[in-house]
Amino acid sequence: MSKKSFRQAINEALRQEMRRDPTVILMGEDVAGGRGGSAGTQDAWGGVLGVTKGLLEEFGDTRVLDTPITEASYIGAAAGAAVTGLRPVAELMFVDFVGCCLDQIMNQAAKFRYMFGGKARTPLVIRAMFGAGFNAAAQHSQALYPLFTHIPGLKVVIPSSPYEAKGLLISAIRDDDPVIFLENKVMYDEEEDVPDEPYAIPFGEANLTREGRDVTIVAFGRMVGLANQAADRLEKKGISCTVIDPRTTSPLDRDTILECVADTGRLVIVDESSPRCNMATDIAALVAEEAFDTLRAPIRRVVPPHTPVPFATVLETLYLPSVDRIEAAVTATMAHRVAEKV
Amino acid sequence: MTQDIIPVTMPKFGLAMTEGKIAGWMVEPGAAVKTGDELVDIETSKITNAFESPVTGTLRRQVAGNGEMLPVGALIGVVADAAVPDADIDAFITRFQADFAASSDAQSGSAPVDEPVMMTVGEHTLRVHERGEGDGIPLLLIHGFGGDLKNWMLNHDALAHGRRVIAFDLPGHGGSSKDVGPGTLEFFADVTAQLLAQLKISQAHVMGHSLGGGIALTLAHAAPQSVASLVLVAAAGLGPQINMTFINGFIEADRVRAVQDALKYLVHDKSLIGRRMADDVLRYKRLDGVDAALRRVADACFPNGRQGDDLRSVLAAVHVPVSVIWGQEDEILPVTQADGLPGGIERHVLPDIGHMPQLECADRVNAMVEEFMKSRVFAT
């Protein structure tokens, strides 16, 4: 066990699964990142943010494939490789580029098992980085997990810490269905203790990072950390929160969310994706339908405005959910008084 | 006046903490503070805690700002009477920082690290934690099924006076490699003997808990010369019954709540089983190879829902002092298994205690073991 960054945890998961299973291959733009040059490095980039660094050296260029900048071709190739026996991990770089290859994901990979009557397996992982806060502007900052969650046949994973990232990526690679694995790009340098050995965290099982009496907060990815910070502050004011990290949006651990809401009677959802038809609306609908009678206050959502992600740093900061905004939402839901029934 | 200037340093919230982050000051410089007032939030890898002022006075400086990560013992603030001149405060800070830098340099050079190490023992890699030194006969601690060396966290350090005390993770457990061979008591006893040889320990007091007690007895049978005495805490091998709801529940549990439910069988005071403890167990259970290892051990040691090994004859035959410790309310191995032992064996039955006396009433168990090793063991 040692401290590892989010980046190192992902790298270690890839490395250990590639050692364990020779059918695991990597492909994507700059996953190796060019060779030669005066330094003679074999993987000059190792992924644009260095996540796949060192894998070319260990596994060679038959298993670590640099692709042209043609998402439709290599994501399609990865889907084809998956149905014909490999376990490709394709990196889409910025998730915003999904526009170029959505057919391969939505109409091909996601549909194979269904359209072939259950006879096809598609053990494909698509890794991509997402999220605002990196000052990468509107075309490189979106949090598109609701888009993937909307498509039956895909599993969608959003790790919230280095420990979670390693265990969830190992599960993703061992899974026989297409998995979209989304890494918040602001988190790559976050560190925590991560076991050196391989381990798998199952999908569809939410993690409660804390348990409280008053309010349930559901948060995704990087927002889990912010929710915990807000809960720390609120605790000093005498408000105790449960924080749920669903880990995967598809499958979604509905039972844990409903159980916690039944316990606390109040729900705040923190979601950094665009506010219309996002996870916050999805979970609000779930709770309104299944647990309406347990609610003691209206559900509150802490979400960005319905605009492209701004480039200007001050506006980008305003755009994202923050610890302050989560704290305010929890305080507001606590202040709500249900009218006494006559 | 220097004696009126009091340093506020990074606290140590528990054994594992080496550094902490200033999560947020709650008191502004210049404000009066009383002993016990919440001064600053400190964030560690495990928790965030409010740090209370150790003194009464005026917070004169926040030496460390919000968000700064500092080692334990580093200066984070200064409390002094409002009358102390700023220049004296500055001089104090400069001197403290210089001394602290010098002492931490010296420490990083020579001080032994109190951390488990990984050791290769035969075909296995074992996580081994050694504490204490001296001429006393060393003490070896063997944990039980599904446990690890942390099961001794309240005993290990307390017993490490005048002797080496070694705790380790059995194969298949904790941080050790996960191959458990046939998963039998003989297998574990053999690995334990190899570990002792590798540590150059010819003879040790052996304290085993639950399955570890069965391993200790098996070791005493297979290699009697290596065992100076036996402390058997709710040991396996002394009766056929075992709570298979616990064993199977522990193996099957794949969520925190299920793990928590299983762990509750271990103690009489159920409030001891927190979410953190369950989460820690779940993290272990997720490691590759653990599930197979636990199933192998359960199949080998508890076939058909009963304990497969009867070690009462071993107990009758050993020529070393033996102490048996059992919780009256044990829900895993019933306390009746401590009945009818051969004469000359020390026997402690602890009321209102479950299957883990070493955790549930650590001080009493530590005192018993200390006394036992002192009084019952003959000079060698």
Side-chain angles (χ1 to χ4, degrees):
Chain A
M1 185 99 92
S2 59
K3 274 212 180 343
K4 292 175 189 125
S5 67
F6 196 63
R7 174 188 288 110
Q8 287 168 323
I10 293 166
N11 183 285
E12 191 166 274
L14 293 169
R15 188 185 296 275
Q16 288 178 341
E17 287 307 289
M18 290 179 82
R19 282 180 187 164
R20 196 181 66 86
D21 181 350
T23 67
V24 178
I25 62 161
L26 303 189
M27 52 202 299
E29 297 160 14
D30 285 338
V31 288
R35 1 178 114 191
S38 54
T41 356
Q42 293 291 297
D43 57 347
W45 278 86
V48 280
L49 291 179
V51 175
T52 43
K53 191 90 179 162
L55 298 177
L56 175 75
E57 198 182 325
E58 177 165 349
F59 300 103
D61 60 6
T62 57
R63 296 184 64 194
V64 180
L65 312 174
D66 260 346
T67 66
I69 311 182
T70 53
E71 287 79 7
S73 75
Y74 78 82
I75 294 293
V83 274
T84 50
L86 294 179
R87 288 186 178 272
V89 181
E91 186 188 311
L92 189 51
M93 202 182 287
F94 291 90
V95 73
D96 313 70
F97 303 163
V98 69
C100 300
C101 55
L102 192 58
D103 184 67
Q104 305 293 0
I105 297 172
M106 177 172 71
N107 278 328
Q108 309 307 325
K111 301 289 191 287
F112 287 154
R113 182 193 282 276
Y114 187 78
M115 298 295 283
F116 294 124
K119 289 179 187 159
R121 296 180 313 140
T122 314
L124 164 68
V125 180
I126 298 177
R127 287 181 46 237
M129 53 177 147
F130 77 96
F134 200 70
N135 208 223
Q139 296 156 316
H140 301 82
S141 299
Q142 296 167 89
L144 296 176
Y145 44 83
L147 180 71
F148 299 108
T149 308
H150 189 70
I151 301 170
L154 297 179
K155 293 178 179 170
V156 185
V157 184
I158 312 172
S160 61
S161 76
Y163 173 83
E164 296 285 318
K166 180 173 171 183
L168 288 167
L169 182 52
I170 287 177
S171 287
I173 294 170
R174 295 178 187 178
D175 200 286
D176 280 344
D177 287 313
V179 178
I180 311 293
F181 190 86
L182 297 169
E183 303 158 17
N184 189 306
K185 52 180 143 342
V186 181
M187 291 175 66
Y188 283 121
D189 290 319
E190 283 186 14
E191 287 190 342
E192 71 177 344
D193 280 337
V194 177
D196 300 330
E197 300 153 276
Y199 57 92
I201 300 177
F203 291 169
E205 280 190 17
N207 183 33
L208 270 58
T209 63
R210 62 204 294 149
E211 273 181 292
R213 298 177 308 276
D214 300 319
V215 180
T216 297
I217 308 177
V218 179
F220 296 89
R222 187 166 80 94
M223 297 299 118
V224 175
L226 302 192
N228 277 308
Q229 286 178 43
D232 281 340
R233 285 195 204 166
L234 288 155
E235 190 132 39
K236 292 190 195 72
K237 298 180 181 169
I239 299 173
S240 84
C241 300
T242 292
V243 175
I244 304 180
D245 168 10
R247 288 182 170 138
T248 53
T249 60
S250 216
L252 181 69
D253 185 350
R254 298 157 47 104
D255 292 349
T256 296
I257 295 170
L258 292 170
E259 279 166 25
C260 292
V261 171
D263 285 347
T264 59
R266 298 182 181 88
L267 174 63
V268 171
I269 310 155
V270 189
D271 184 351
E272 65 182 303
S273 66
S274 284
R276 302 290 316 282
C277 304
N278 67 358
M279 286 314 298
T281 60
D282 186 59
I283 290 169
L286 167 72
V287 171
E289 219 166 45
E290 305 284 341
F292 189 79
D293 290 342
T294 68
L295 287 173
R296 303 167 65 182
I299 298 165
R300 289 191 178 256
R301 303 187 301 142
V302 182
V303 291
H306 192 61
T307 76
V309 178
F311 175 61
T313 313
V314 282
L315 293 179
E316 188 183 30
T317 306
L318 272 179
Y319 171 91
L320 274 173
S322 64
V323 178
D324 285 343
R325 283 177 58 197
I326 300 167
E327 190 182 359
V330 170
T331 309
T333 183
M334 284 300 288
H336 182 86
R337 293 281 172 268
V338 182
E340 291 293 326
K341 282 182 186 157
V342 182
Chain B
M1 293 207 305
T2 310
Q3 65 266 37
D4 292 330
I5 303 179
I6 296 132
V8 179
T9 58
M10 178 61 72
K12 189 169 172 65
F13 294 148
L15 274 179
M17 177 171 170
T18 55
E19 59 179 13
K21 189 159 98 184
I22 307 289
W25 281 96
M26 288 180 274
V27 176
E28 293 299 319
V33 292
K34 291 193 308 296
T35 305
D37 283 356
E38 291 191 349
L39 209 53
V40 54
D41 268 335
I42 304 287
E43 182 183 329
T44 73
S45 53
K46 295 201 168 58
I47 45 164
T48 300
N49 247 359
F51 179 47
E52 296 174 352
S53 177
V55 294
T56 296
T58 300
L59 180 68
R60 295 294 298 272
R61 293 291 161 75
Q62 295 174 351
V63 178
N66 289 342
E68 262 189 79
M69 180 72 87
L70 291 165
V72 168
L75 189 65
I76 59 176
V78 175
V79 172
D81 192 85
V84 177
D86 276 336
D88 287 6
I89 304 267
D90 288 335
F92 177 87
I93 293 173
T94 309
R95 209 165 45 243
F96 188 101
Q97 300 291 40
D99 288 351
F100 184 73
S103 71
S104 45
D105 282 355
Q107 263 183 18
S108 60
S110 64
V113 183
D114 186 23
E115 290 280 328
V117 296
M118 302 304 292
M119 283 179 61
T120 305
V121 175
E123 290 161 12
H124 308 279
T125 306
L126 301 185
R127 185 170 69 158
V128 181
H129 195 176
E130 177 161 349
R131 282 172 157 153
E133 52 190 356
D135 300 332
I137 298 174
L139 169 64
L140 180 73
L141 306 171
I142 311 177
H143 66 78
F145 177 80
D148 65 21
L149 55 79
K150 291 197 294 290
N151 291 169
W152 307 107
M153 66 185 181
L154 301 181
N155 321 99
H156 195 177
D157 205 32
L159 293 170
H161 302 298
R163 68 177 86 249
R164 297 161 73 187
V165 180
I166 295 105
F168 71 107
D169 293 339
L170 291 165
H173 292 74
S176 291
S177 52
K178 300 300 181 283
D179 174 19
V180 293
T184 55
L185 293 180
E186 290 77 15
F187 163 80
F188 287 116
D190 181 53
V191 174
T192 306
Q194 291 179 48
L195 171 67
L196 285 175
Q198 190 136 335
L199 290 168
K200 305 209 183 321
I201 293 172
S202 54
Q203 198 182 43
H205 300 297
V206 180
M207 179 170 178
H209 171 241
S210 196
L211 190 77
I215 296 168
L217 276 167
T218 308
L219 179 70
H221 176 66
Q225 73 292 343
S226 65
V227 177
S229 76
L230 287 169
V231 180
L232 304 174
V233 185
L238 303 180
Q241 300 106 302
I242 177 162
N243 180 348
M244 289 308 284
T245 312
F246 165 74
I247 298 291
N248 294 328
F250 185 88
I251 292 173
E252 299 289 339
D254 56 0
R255 321 187 63 137
V256 172
R257 287 220 174 140
V259 171
Q260 232 170 328
D261 288 345
L263 294 181
K264 283 182 177 159
Y265 287 110
L266 289 171
V267 288
H268 183 58
D269 175 3
K270 310 299 180 198
S271 70
L272 290 171
I273 307 298
R275 158 164 288 277
R276 284 277 164 205
M277 188 188 283
D279 196 49
D280 218 40
V281 168
L282 199 54
R283 284 178 180 226
Y284 152 69
K285 278 170 52 63
R286 282 185 193 126
L287 297 173
D288 275 8
V290 167
D291 188 67
L294 290 175
R295 287 176 195 276
R296 172 65 62 90
V297 175
D299 287 349
C301 296
F302 321 125
N304 308 315
R306 316 203 34 103
Q307 296 194 53
D309 299 87
D310 182 355
L311 300 171
R312 281 195 170 239
S313 58
V314 173
L315 198 53
V318 290
H319 296 295
V320 295
V322 180
S323 177
V324 171
I325 301 173
W326 223 291
Q328 178 83 47
E329 306 296 333
D330 195 319
E331 295 171 37
I332 311 280
L333 304 178
V335 67
T336 50
Q337 295 179 358
D339 292 343
L341 301 175
I345 288 179
E346 199 177 290
R347 178 173 174 276
H348 304 273
V349 172
L350 303 163
D352 298 326
I353 297 295
H355 185 61
M356 297 195 80
Q358 80 272 33
L359 202 65
E360 223 172 337
C361 57
D363 291 348
R364 273 152 74 196
V365 168
N366 292 341
M368 282 170 197
V369 174
E370 197 74 68
E371 184 58 32
F372 171 73
M373 287 192 297
K374 224 185 292 173
S375 66
R376 295 295 303 274
V377 175
F378 327 113
T380 48

